[in-house]
Amino acid sequence: MAAAAIASLIAGALLAHVIEPGVGVEKLMLAGDTPAIHLFPKTSGPHPVALLAHGVTASKETMFRFGEAMAAAGFDCYAVDMAGHGESRLRLSGPELVAQMGRVIRALGRVDVFVGHSMGAAAGEASFHNGDLKPKLFIAAGANVNLGERGPPLLLLAGDLDELVSLASLKARSDARLVLSPWSDHVLEIFDPRLVNAGVEAACAAVGRTPPPPPRSWLWRLAGVMCGMAGALGLMRNLTKLDPRFARARGILVPAALLVAVVFTTGWWFGAGPILHRIPLQLSIGVIVWLALTGTGKLGLPRWTLAAVVATFTLLCIIVQFNPAVASGEERIPFHLMALIGMLCTLFAGVGLLLGRRMASGDSRRDGDLAVAIFLGYAIGQWMPKFF
């Protein structure tokens, strides 16, 4: 069983790196301080240029699916790490996002199509208004941007399950084309085949190209994630049975198996690979989580108490940001940001609870708390925006 789990993990890692034929990928640095992924067609140019900006708590890798589809359609695509995210060493702030966007656009020379998700769309909107961004088409996913009467054609993409954008306000727009998907929430919009294909078709129309058939390699990568996770679960169940010494290190080996699968199979989905300058933050969060779990244990409280607190905080932020009587105008921004961060932490806390439950049978609570702290420290530290 352990051998089968390892084989599944290896197969998942291989599948997770399949890229659409005819599309090249390279990592580079734009404007001296912005890590980027360059996705390009392996055909002679010139090619129209597309700039892709991700949302809060995400990274350039989350735009890979969209960028791959556009590169397959003949676009030179640049997906960037926004300030405070991914491999970027910049601090997250509104002015820094806009300044960074301006530097990137000047480095590229021109941007024919802009694709922004959530925070990325807002940064693109601000960049347009200050004169840096002048695309032929502006695509906003999970955001309600306003480009004014003289703005370029605007395509709005959203899921019917979006938790953070009012669908009624999107449907009321008369100055933009709106495409909705019944299956997506705020996070999944940039991966949704219906929305991605609509974005590629609109981008091709904006530059006078005929859109090709939709790419299919992303399905292999999705299968790779499933194989990798299955392999990780198999290792978690069987690795510690091979040798008593492994059993004594369950608190470390169990989360390590899951993190190995996440790192090697979700790289082109969420950017899960280790980032050196984030390690201190990950260690700090891991220690805080471990102390919190130890404290709840001494009080006789279950582990899910921690997740319940985070989920309650997130729900309150979501409610407040849509309540005009409590937050309006610029005051909505902090609640929106806290809600997104809270959603991320709640998701990871749920996975961490499953890890702790997996460790509960025949193991001490201390081992389970250690496993949860290791996983949450890495996961939250990997995707938490850096404000300082």
Side-chain angles (χ1 to χ4, degrees):
M1 290 297 295
I6 293 173
S8 179
L9 180 56
I10 294 174
L14 294 175
L15 290 173
H17 289 81
V18 174
I19 299 173
E20 191 71 15
V23 173
V25 179
E26 64 177 351
K27 287 191 174 184
L28 46 78
M29 190 73 71
L30 292 176
D33 59 8
T34 300
I37 298 175
H38 180 205
L39 300 104
F40 55 92
K42 295 179 180 179
T43 56
S44 58
H47 304 290
V49 176
L51 176 60
L52 290 75
H54 61 78
V56 71
T57 76
S59 67
K60 59 186 178 298
E61 286 81 6
T62 59
M63 302 301 293
F64 189 92
R65 160 88 172 96
F66 219 119
E68 179 189 43
M70 294 194 67
F75 285 81
D76 239 348
C77 300
Y78 297 86
V80 299
D81 272 334
M82 306 296 285
H85 295 76
E87 297 178 277
S88 174
R89 291 181 176 269
L90 303 174
R91 298 178 181 181
L92 173 60
S93 69
E96 183 59 70
L97 288 174
V98 178
Q100 178 193 27
M101 188 69 68
R103 293 193 297 270
V104 168
I105 293 170
R106 288 189 289 274
L108 294 178
R110 79 176 196 278
V111 173
D112 297 296
V113 175
F114 176 78
V115 182
H117 179 229
S118 191
M119 177 192 72
E125 176 186 13
S127 186
F128 168 77
H129 286 302
N130 68 17
D132 289 327
L133 181 63
K134 301 175 182 178
K136 297 178 181 178
L137 174 67
F138 192 114
I139 302 177
N144 192 3
V145 301
N146 185 1
L147 303 180
E149 295 181 356
R150 297 183 179 181
L154 174 60
L155 173 64
L156 301 175
L157 306 176
D160 285 344
L161 306 178
D162 195 307
E163 311 91 337
L164 302 174
V165 178
S166 170
L167 295 184
S169 64
L170 294 180
K171 294 177 180 179
R173 297 287 297 269
S174 59
D175 59 337
R177 179 189 168 205
L178 172 63
V179 177
L180 294 173
S181 171
W183 311 112
S184 295
D185 69 346
H186 191 78
V187 174
L188 298 179
E189 287 162 341
I190 51 175
F191 307 111
D192 188 297
R194 174 181 171 84
L195 300 182
V196 171
N197 294 341
V200 172
E201 291 173 2
C204 288
V207 298
R209 287 176 172 264
T210 300
R216 290 289 183 265
S217 293
W218 67 273
L219 292 170
W220 289 109
R221 294 198 296 274
L222 181 60
V225 174
M226 297 173 67
C227 285
M229 293 302 109
L233 292 175
L235 283 176
M236 290 161 60
R237 289 179 59 89
N238 297 283
L239 186 60
T240 56
K241 299 177 182 179
L242 297 179
D243 191 291
R245 291 172 296 182
F246 290 163
R248 289 194 294 268
R250 283 176 62 86
I252 297 176
L253 291 179
V254 168
L258 179 58
L259 289 176
V260 166
V262 169
V263 167
F264 284 101
T265 65
T266 66
W268 291 140
W269 294 94
F270 305 113
I275 301 173
L276 291 180
H277 68 85
R278 284 186 169 268
I279 292 178
L281 176 63
Q282 291 168 324
L283 292 174
S284 300
I285 293 174
V287 170
I288 292 172
V289 171
W290 184 78
L291 291 174
L293 291 173
T294 300
T296 57
K298 290 183 177 180
L299 294 174
L301 300 174
R303 286 196 190 95
W304 58 258
T305 303
L306 188 63
V309 171
V310 177
T312 301
F313 170 79
T314 303
L315 181 60
L316 289 175
C317 289
I318 293 175
I319 293 173
V320 167
Q321 72 160 342
F322 285 116
N323 188 345
V326 178
S328 59
E330 294 298 321
E331 295 177 0
R332 290 170 61 101
I333 296 177
F335 291 105
H336 178 78
L337 180 60
M338 287 188 290
L340 286 169
I341 294 175
M343 290 170 60
L344 178 74
C345 293
T346 301
L347 172 63
F348 291 146
V351 177
L353 287 176
L354 293 177
L355 267 181
R357 185 178 179 84
R358 174 70 188 90
M359 301 282 294
S361 177
D363 291 294
S364 68
R365 170 155 180 156
R366 181 179 179 180
D367 285 341
D369 290 348
L370 179 60
V372 174
I374 291 174
F375 174 77
L376 292 184
Y378 186 91
I380 296 177
Q382 184 77 358
W383 291 285
M384 174 75 73
K386 297 186 71 173
F387 298 96
F388 51 86

